[in-house]
Every structure is written in structure tokens, then in C-alpha cells.
Amino acid sequence: MTYKIGVIGGDGIGPEVIAEAIKIIDATGVSYERTDYDLGAHRYLQDGTVLNDETLEEWRGLDALLLGAVGDPAVGVSAPAGLVERGILLRMRFELDQYINLRPFHLPPTCDFEVIRENTEGTYAGEGGFLRKGTPFEIATQGSVNTRMGVERCIRFAFERAAKTERHHLTLVHKKNVLTFAGDLWQRVFNIVAEEYPNVSTGYDHIDAACIHFVERPERYDVIVTDNLFGDILTDLGGAVAGGVGFAASANLNPARTGPSMFEPVHGTAPDIAGMGLANPSAAIISAGLMLEFLGESEAAAKVAAAMQSPERHTGSTSEIGDAIANEVKAH
């Protein structure tokens, strides 16, 4: 099968690390048609384009998207902070229904777990606004939107993942003692779905406790499920615990496959080292492996996973690391 893959190199080190990810996909022998999209902060600064409707509609016909990183501090000089990130990443997640964010953290024996983050609701849904903006009496509200459907499909996905691991354990992370409405919904749905998975043991941690455990005892976790904001923060911490954001990969999944899923490293654009060959492409390569897995190319994904065991052992320039990993993939 030949897959249709959209590639967004993005800004800063994004194109560099994506070039290495593509190199590894080529090494697996998987057949694909590549379409490149010139999007990101550089494009916005050039002509004001963030993500137009025509491009989004074209994406609906793709099998997957591979993204480097987008954003640049220069955008914030003349536009609201995060304009490009929200306009591309959040719009993509919402309109293509990429409702699962999956981030694996594998650095045995230190940690070996993954986080399932709800990706389209919570505080990122955009509910809220201003009253009396610009006055001394200004009020800003930012609500957390949690639907029964959104919560349940995320939790159900997490139980399915936990059912396939060796430990069969799933931990819900929230702050239900303070966020009594959203937390109550998440806990009730979690308990209901748990009845369908008797072989999966379960647990609960408050978000602040989970942050402590990530640092002190990350080995206690197998699969974690949490909401959008908590998941965003927790997975960045997970990247630090698992060796640094240079090794942190992610998948933005549409499990129903009504649209393409998107795969990206979670690090930023690092404009200070762009073009210098200093960027670690490991996270982008692991993300490409997640893409292959989701596409059903299990053999190719296994080759990438095998080559990425103990990824910290790969050293050198960006392209040298990519070459070494590509050679290992070909050898498996």
C-alpha cells in the first residue's frame, strides 16, 4: 500500500529533524507519496497565512501528517502570542477530530509508561472571554469544557492501551478534590468503563502528586489518562524525566480514522540552533515510528522502535544521528 503523507517542516529546527524522520521512513521501505506544506511562523511573517480552509480540506484526504515544530518569537511582536500554534495545531486537532494525544516515555529502568491526553476539550476548547477589557475592572474567564462523549472516548482508548501492556494498569490523573464538576465526570466515567476491563487494574492521583511521582518514582506508572491541560503539563515533565525533550515524541490521533492523524516531536523550534546541525532528531524519528504503527505497518514500526532503544547512545550532528539510525533500521 502507498500512503499519502503530508509533511510540515515548520520553523527553526523543524525541517532539520523532519528530514531525518523521513530518512528513517525511507529506510523501512514503506511506500508513500509525500506532499510538503509551507506553513509556520515564517509563512505567517511572509504573507499572513496561518492555515487556510483549502489546505485543511486537502488534509482530509491524507493518511497522516508529520510535523516538525511551528512558532517564532518574532510573531509575538506584531500579533497575539501563540497565534501560529493555535491557528495550526489547535485547529488541526479540533477540525480533524484528533481527540487523543499519545505520548510514550520509554527509558528503562527509569521509566516505561505512556500518557493518554484528551486533545480537543478542557481549557483549550476556547470557552470564555473578557468583560470591561482594558479597564481597572477587567474580568477574564477561561472555562474547562468536558463532555461525556469526549471524556468517555478518551478513557476508553486508554483502557484499550492498558489492556495490551504487560502490567495492565491505568491511572487517572486529575484534581477532583478542587475541580469538583469536571473531576466528578472524569472519575464517574472512568469507574463505569473500568467495569468492562476486569483485567486492567486502576488507580488515581491528583495532578500535583503525579508531578512528584514523575520525578521521584516514575516506575510506578504504566498508562496514564488525563485531561487536556493536565496532560500538556505532565507530558512536558515526562519528557524531562525520560532524558529530555529531544527524545519526547507524540501522536495526535483520530482513532475513528475520519481524518488523518498527526505526528510530531514535542520540543520547540529552537531558533537559536537552527541550521547548525545540533538538533537531536530522536523525537521526530520516534514520532515517525508512531505514525507507521498507527498506519498498520507494524513490522516497520518495530524496526524503528528497535533502533531507538536507548536513543541517548546516538551522538553526532543531526544528520549523523539520522544516518546511524537509518543504518540500524535497514539492518533489522
Side-chain angles (χ1 to χ4, degrees), residues 16 37 46 77 83 118 127 135 148 151 202 204-205 212 305:
E16 298 173 58
Y37 294 92
Q46 175 183 316
V77 175
L83 174 73
E118 201 290 316
E127 191 275 332
T135 76
R148 172 65 180 261
V151 171
T202 60
Y204 171 85
D205 281 330
I212 295 172

Side-chain angles (χ1 to χ4, degrees), residues 35-97:
T35 303
D36 287 279
Y37 294 92
D38 180 23
L39 295 173
H42 70 281
R43 177 68 186 276
Y44 173 78
L45 293 170
Q46 175 183 316
D47 62 14
T49 298
V50 179
L51 173 59
N52 58 44
D53 294 341
E54 292 75 18
T55 299
L56 187 66
E57 190 59 34
E58 186 175 327
W59 284 353
R60 297 184 190 278
L62 300 177
D63 294 301
L65 289 155
L66 189 61
L67 184 145
V70 295
D72 191 294
V75 173
V77 175
S78 58
L83 174 73
V84 171
E85 293 88 334
R86 292 194 309 275
I88 296 177
L89 300 179
L90 293 190
R91 189 181 181 198
M92 182 191 304
R93 292 171 184 172
F94 295 155
E95 298 207 26
L96 299 178
D97 205 21

Side-chain angles (χ1 to χ4, degrees), residues 102-299:
L102 168 65
R103 296 191 183 181
F105 301 98
H106 302 304
L107 188 64
T110 304
C111 63
D112 190 9
F113 63 89
E114 60 186 33
V115 178
I116 310 297
R117 164 190 169 194
E118 201 290 316
N119 214 25
T120 61
E121 298 188 345
T123 51
Y124 290 19
E127 191 275 332
F130 292 101
L131 291 175
R132 308 185 187 96
K133 187 176 183 180
T135 76
F137 307 100
E138 182 172 344
I139 300 170
T141 62
Q142 192 83 53
S144 178
V145 177
N146 300 266
T147 68
R148 172 65 180 261
M149 180 198 74
V151 171
E152 182 170 343
R153 66 183 183 176
C154 178
I155 288 174
R156 193 171 294 280
F157 181 91
F159 269 103
E160 287 290 330
R161 295 289 295 192
K164 297 173 184 177
T165 66
E166 289 186 10
R167 295 167 58 190
H168 304 308
H169 186 77
L170 178 62
T171 304
L172 170 63
V173 171
H174 210 280
K175 190 68 176 175
K176 64 181 182 180
N177 59 332
V178 176
L179 304 178
T180 53
F181 302 120
D184 181 78
L185 175 60
W186 275 83
Q187 186 67 74
R188 280 188 290 112
V189 174
F190 186 85
N191 293 344
I192 291 170
V193 177
E195 295 178 1
E196 302 177 28
Y197 296 86
N199 294 329
V200 175
S201 59
T202 60
Y204 171 85
D205 281 330
H206 291 322
I207 179 61
D208 44 352
C211 288
I212 295 172
H213 295 321
F214 263 39
V215 174
E216 295 184 345
R217 292 193 300 153
E219 69 278 2
R220 68 182 268 137
Y221 292 117
D222 182 19
V223 180
I224 294 168
V225 64
T226 188
D227 83 344
N228 208 337
L229 178 59
F230 293 151
D232 193 1
I233 297 169
L234 200 60
T235 51
D236 283 350
L237 178 59
V241 170
V245 292
F247 305 110
S250 75
N252 297 270
L253 303 178
N254 177 332
R257 302 177 191 269
T258 57
S261 296
M262 185 270 282
F263 304 82
E264 60 170 336
V266 303
H267 56 65
T269 58
D272 56 321
I273 62 169
M276 300 171 64
L278 298 176
N280 185 349
S282 295
I285 292 169
I286 296 170
S287 298
L290 294 174
M291 182 184 75
L292 294 171
E293 177 188 352
F294 190 74
L295 291 174
E297 296 291 338
S298 56
E299 183 177 342

